Amino acid sequence: MRQPLASSSLLRESALRTLQIEQAAIGGLQAKLDESFDRACELILACQGRVVVTGMGKSGHIAGKLAATLASTGTPAFFVHPGEASHGDLGMITRADVVLALSNSGETAEVTALLPLLKRLGIPLVSMTGRPNSTLAKHADAHLNSGVEREACPLDLAPTSSTTAALALGDALAVALLEARGFTAEDFALSHPGGSLGKRLLLRVRDLMHDGARLPQVALGSPLRDALLEITRQGLGFTCVVDSEGRLAGVYTDGDLRRTLDQFHNLRDVLVDDVMTRPGKRIGPDILAAEAVRIMEESRITALAVVDEQQRPIGALHMHDLLASGVI
């Protein structure tokens, strides 16, 4: 019977040893990458259906994560439990699909039981195992070698290094496919519309800007008093200043007001032209909201004028809108 660890230092030593073993397991995968990896990618890229990922036990958990990663990076995929597959779920697999089967031993009964049907239907099989000479590896159209020298478990029993290696190799496969497809950040966002990342990548300035009656603006030549009233009325901390043709000539902000008070003792005769910021930061309506965040942060401002192609103000965007939408 193993003696339990007695001190915090021994606990940390155990953790460090585990991380080192698993790090070595991932590093060892590099030498195992060969033309079979290329073949696996080619089979999946040519697939007209879905990638059906399967695995049992801990390999099944890794398979489920891999299916989710593939699906979110441009490769339609889903997980099928191998035990359930033999009891009806095989009907979920079609001739247009590719099966990706994970098993560290390559001999998992529930997974190898699928081989006859896959061969009969002519469904391409990609296997990921730790044993290149296993049944599953030998019958695959492409085999990915995820073998490790030992598990991080001191008993060399619990799947630890082997599942870590399979997870990393699965990520390598997904990223290679992503790059081969020319998958973009916006493509990624389309499959994550509900998360903060999707909001960052999908929302555009026009989705968040204040327009119409909520657009703060005054004309060149206006008394400063009118600009201050417009800023107060709209509550966005600034106002656009437009020329006679409606183009943005500049902006007047809360920060400009502080500078104005330092410069002028009497504001009664001051025109907005004399104290506004020219030409003023601006942005187009179809620019990603995340880009607006970058401009505001770099310029240390909290609002932007939104202009059309003729540089006419059509909206106003405030940092609060970006915060409320989850872009930041």
Side-chain angles (χ1 to χ4, degrees):
M1 179 176 178
R2 294 180 62 86
Q3 294 298 314
L5 298 180
S7 69
S8 57
S9 61
L10 291 176
L11 291 169
R12 287 194 296 272
E13 287 178 12
S14 174
L16 180 60
R17 184 168 56 252
T18 297
L19 293 174
Q20 290 172 338
I21 293 172
E22 296 204 352
Q23 182 180 41
I26 294 176
L29 294 175
Q30 298 178 52
K32 296 181 175 69
L33 284 180
D34 55 21
E35 62 277 0
S36 191
F37 184 88
D38 301 332
R39 175 60 177 157
C41 291
E42 291 166 358
L43 286 170
I44 295 174
L45 289 169
C47 177
Q48 298 299 307
R50 302 287 191 269
V51 177
V52 182
V53 192
T54 190
M56 194 72 185
K58 303 300 186 294
S59 292
H61 294 304
I62 301 300
K65 186 273 180 186
L66 178 51
T69 299
L70 289 169
S72 67
T73 53
T75 299
F78 63 92
F79 172 78
V80 170
H81 192 286
E84 298 294 335
S86 297
H87 295 276
D89 282 3
L90 273 174
M92 302 169 68
I93 307 174
T94 73
R95 296 177 187 271
D97 298 331
V98 169
V99 171
L100 173 55
L102 280 66
S103 167
N104 186 43
S105 68
E107 303 293 345
T108 305
E110 293 86 349
V111 178
T112 57
L114 305 179
L115 291 174
L117 180 67
L118 298 180
K119 294 302 180 181
R120 191 179 310 133
L121 295 177
I123 297 173
L125 172 64
V126 176
S127 66
M128 184 187 297
T129 81
R131 298 179 181 177
N133 294 320
S134 63
T135 300
L136 193 58
K138 289 179 178 178
H139 287 85
D141 298 282
H143 174 248
L144 304 178
N145 186 353
S146 60
V148 298
E149 290 187 7
R150 59 171 171 152
E151 299 288 3
C153 165
L155 304 176
D156 200 24
L157 294 175
T160 45
S161 301
S162 59
T163 48
T164 298
L167 180 64
L169 187 54
D171 285 343
L173 178 65
V175 172
L177 294 169
L178 176 156
E179 294 182 345
R181 295 182 191 280
F183 197 74
T184 66
E186 289 196 34
D187 293 327
F188 188 88
L190 289 173
S191 61
H192 297 75
S196 59
L197 179 59
K199 291 178 180 178
R200 286 180 52 212
L201 296 175
L202 287 177
L203 281 178
R204 298 186 182 275
V205 169
R206 70 166 62 254
D207 300 319
L208 302 174
M209 70 183 190
H210 300 271
D211 56 8
R214 288 298 318 278
L215 171 60
Q217 62 179 349
V218 295
L220 275 173
S222 298
L224 178 59
R225 178 178 179 277
D226 290 353
L228 295 177
L229 288 174
E230 184 72 352
I231 292 174
T232 301
R233 184 173 69 89
Q234 300 292 10
L236 297 178
F238 88 113
T239 183
C240 300
V241 183
V242 298
D243 62 21
S244 58
E245 297 183 2
R247 295 184 301 241
L248 183 67
V251 297
Y252 190 75
T253 71
D254 288 340
D256 292 323
L257 174 59
R258 288 189 288 273
R259 288 185 288 273
T260 302
L261 293 172
D262 289 338
Q263 186 178 357
F264 297 91
H265 296 293
N266 184 0
L267 303 182
R268 185 182 300 274
D269 298 322
V270 177
L271 300 179
V272 70
D273 313 37
D274 303 325
V275 290
M276 72 181 187
T277 298
R278 299 174 184 264
K281 293 293 180 181
R282 59 194 71 193
I283 196 169
D286 294 318
I287 302 299
L288 291 173
E291 176 67 9
V293 174
R294 184 191 65 79
I295 294 173
M296 289 184 186
E297 290 178 340
E298 289 183 355
S299 304
R300 297 184 178 182
I301 57 178
T302 59
L304 282 170
V306 185
V307 298
D308 61 15
E309 293 180 355
Q310 287 73 43
Q311 299 304 301
R312 294 186 297 245
I314 59 173
L317 182 67
H318 196 277
M319 184 70 78
H320 291 163
D321 305 314
L322 298 165
L323 285 166
S325 70
V327 174
I328 299 177

